[in-house]
Amino acid sequence: VKLWHVTVVILIIDLMQIQSENSGGHIAHLAGAFFGFIFIKLLQNGTDLSKIVTNLLDFFVNLFTKKSSTPFKKVHKNYKKPADKPVSKIVTKDKTQQQIDEILDKISRSGYDCLTKEEKEFLFKVGK
């Protein structure tokens, strides 16, 4: 027996019993069947009506859940090249420390990704 055969039989029984004492219940069954038919047809065409209810329920559930925070902050990366190379203000330090300070200043202004390959290698060698 196919499912739609059972559905047709139940619909016919509800239609015949509308005249009985519980006509509101039978009309509600028919309205539910009609809505189910429309829902399935829209779902077959790609429109999901349950998405609205799901989003609404998710909103209320997420109101009471604790959001996990990430330990890292998002860092803005400035991909613009600096206009002029700033002159280092540190005169008394040796050459290596002066280069390290300039590279670190560049990292703080533009981010690590803006360093040249030579600057990254220099930092790696000095860091050992």
Side-chain angles (χ1 to χ4, degrees):
V1 177
K2 304 260 185 195
L3 185 59
W4 72 270
H5 290 116
V6 175
T7 305
V8 168
V9 169
I10 292 173
L11 286 175
I12 290 173
I13 290 172
D14 269 338
L15 281 172
M16 290 186 328
Q17 292 182 350
I18 284 181
Q19 300 282 338
S20 70
E21 61 186 62
N22 188 12
S23 61
H26 296 294
I27 291 173
H29 286 164
L30 292 172
F34 178 71
F35 179 76
F37 177 77
I38 297 297
F39 181 81
I40 294 299
K41 287 300 175 185
L42 287 173
L43 196 59
Q44 287 174 347
N45 290 333
T47 304
D48 188 9
L49 295 178
S50 67
K51 199 175 206 180
I52 298 167
V53 175
T54 304
N55 290 341
L56 184 67
L57 289 175
D58 287 342
F59 171 75
F60 284 112
V61 167
N62 291 334
L63 279 177
F64 302 108
T65 58
K66 184 177 179 181
K67 296 179 183 176
S68 62
S69 62
T70 59
F72 302 105
K73 292 191 309 185
K74 186 175 183 179
V75 178
H76 173 71
K77 295 178 184 175
N78 187 3
Y79 292 105
K80 294 180 184 177
K81 301 257 184 199
D84 293 331
K85 192 171 186 179
V87 178
S88 177
K89 298 176 184 176
I90 304 167
V91 178
T92 59
K93 294 186 178 181
D94 64 351
K95 184 74 173 162
T96 304
Q97 186 62 42
Q98 196 173 6
Q99 281 182 310
I100 292 172
D101 290 341
E102 288 174 358
I103 291 173
L104 291 176
D105 286 340
K106 185 175 180 182
I107 289 174
S108 68
R109 281 192 317 271
S110 305
Y112 182 77
D113 293 336
C114 291
L115 293 180
T116 63
K117 186 177 180 181
E118 293 81 21
E119 290 170 332
K120 289 179 184 178
E121 288 175 3
F122 176 77
L123 279 179
F124 182 74
K125 287 178 187 176
V126 173
K128 283 188 173 183

